[in-house]
Amino acid sequence: MVLAESTNHAIADPGRVFLEEVIARTGPSCRLDMCIQCGTCGGSCPSADDMDHTPRTLFAMIRAGMREQVLRSNTPWMCVSCYLCTVRCPQDVRITDVMYTLKNMAVASHAYPDSTAPDFSRAFIRNVETFGRSFEVGLTAQHYLRHYLTRLPSMAPMGISMLRSGRMGLTPPRRIRGMRGLKRILARAKALEAAS
Amino acid sequence: MSEYLYYPGCSMDSSGRSYRDSLEAVTAPLGITLREIDDWNCCGATEYLGLSRLPAYALIARNLALAEQARNGTNTLVAPCSACFLNLSKTNHAMAEDAAFGAQVNDALAAGDLHYDPDSLRIRHLLDVVVREVGLETVRSRVTRPLRGLKLAPYLGCMVPRPDYDGRWSDPEHPSELDRLLAALGAEVVDYPLKTECCGGHMTQIGPSTAFSMIRRLVDAAERAGADMMVTICPMCQMNIDAFQGEMNAHFHTSHRMPIVFFTQVMGLAFGMAPEAVGFGRELVDARPALARISDEPVPEAEPARVRRPGRPKGPALPMPQMPEAGEVTR
Ligand code: SF4
Ligand code: SF4
């Protein structure tokens, strides 16, 4: 009886389920299940001060099945993809890639409460999906009007200098010729991802 | 002349104009030709990977597929931007390492009549090509105006030496390639331990106070090391440190003025080109005043700086602990 109960428990272990989901979405070589909780990642991370949990803590929370709290955490969004943790991790966990996966999952489940970062990514990608190229001025203007109105005055001199030195253009980029093909590629990729 | 496939990336036409101008100026003296991939698209920077995995990789892989079609004798694809380089290399690596994933990416590419065979291209950053393919000997032989007396802080940023999928760099945290290149130009290379620390990346857009702390550390360390300017290999690093330095100063009530330019610009300068011809003057923190330090006279070998050790404190020293004499021990 006792044995059967504990086996049942192992199958339904929410930590295991969540951990395996994160691994499957990151790719099997991410080795997240090999984490030994040494803390090298958090100690190396340039953004750790601004994270609500260090990467190490977050990985412990994944194992504990704290799905909601993990996906609400600002940690992945504070990650600047510098790969310092990744090259230092004694277990070769691909931490940066795990951070990307956690962002993907937070966006998909609308769990992360602050929309600044996901909105920036979406705005960036909207330009890419329209022109095939990024469009710095359009992106910055759109993003600041929405999230950083108060920052505009201190930014204005910089914008003007960038325009004057020819490092920023007001006109959108020329659309790439293969835009239709690119749209089909992305649509297919999204469909494949949704199906998996 | 060695020919390479070339993926410029979006910033070369906008914020990285001085990178493009200087790169175009130095290819001939370096003996390389860059053949731009026709109709390439944006690599998605670090943004698309954060939203969804497969579309992000498919977006990047379209460029690999176009480059593969254009191979014609060369299979090396060069990117000057760190984020572009990393994305292209990351995608190639992910497709090669996990065949099932590679097949999924190709399934998506097929919707646009494209296909990429993983590992059919070698993907390299421009600095890697200059240091290892062109070689420092050739670089040195092109120098007509050595940058004597100019103190440069080599700053690579994070995304080129890490994670280093192909194992090309001398070290993931303290690589020496850029130092050696700048020394070959005759410049004085200062010791800059933060050379691969992050510039803040997209945090200038989504978490400015985080970014400002990073920018401040980098600029402050370069100043302390005595650098006249920082030299970088990445348009995003240049943009963050140059264009956001003013806002960072306002944020911390500081008054740093540390110029940052691209390695191709100082290379052009050492090859005898006029500063404006290689993009000097487009930076917001003007680097030109520092160029006056370049001296035509050979700089005498500097005496190794004396390291000052803390002296003995003044006044009577504290008594030294002494072993008790035999028999002195009291219980
Ligand atoms: S450095 Fe690696 S092993 Fe150590 S806590 Fe971080 S992920 Fe786990
Ligand atoms: S890659 Fe992300 S989590 Fe890792 S050290 Fe850099 S910022 Fe921190």
Side-chain angles (χ1 to χ4, degrees), chain B residues 90-112:
Chain B
K90 193 177 180 69
T91 301
N92 178 59
H93 185 254
M95 290 176 75
E97 176 186 70
D98 181 349
F101 182 68
Q104 274 195 317
V105 175
N106 268 324
D107 192 343
L109 285 180

Side-chain angles (χ1 to χ4, degrees), chain A residues 45-47 55 79-83 85 96:
Chain A
C45 179
S47 316
C79 169
V80 290
S81 314
C82 76
Y83 293 84
C85 52
T96 318

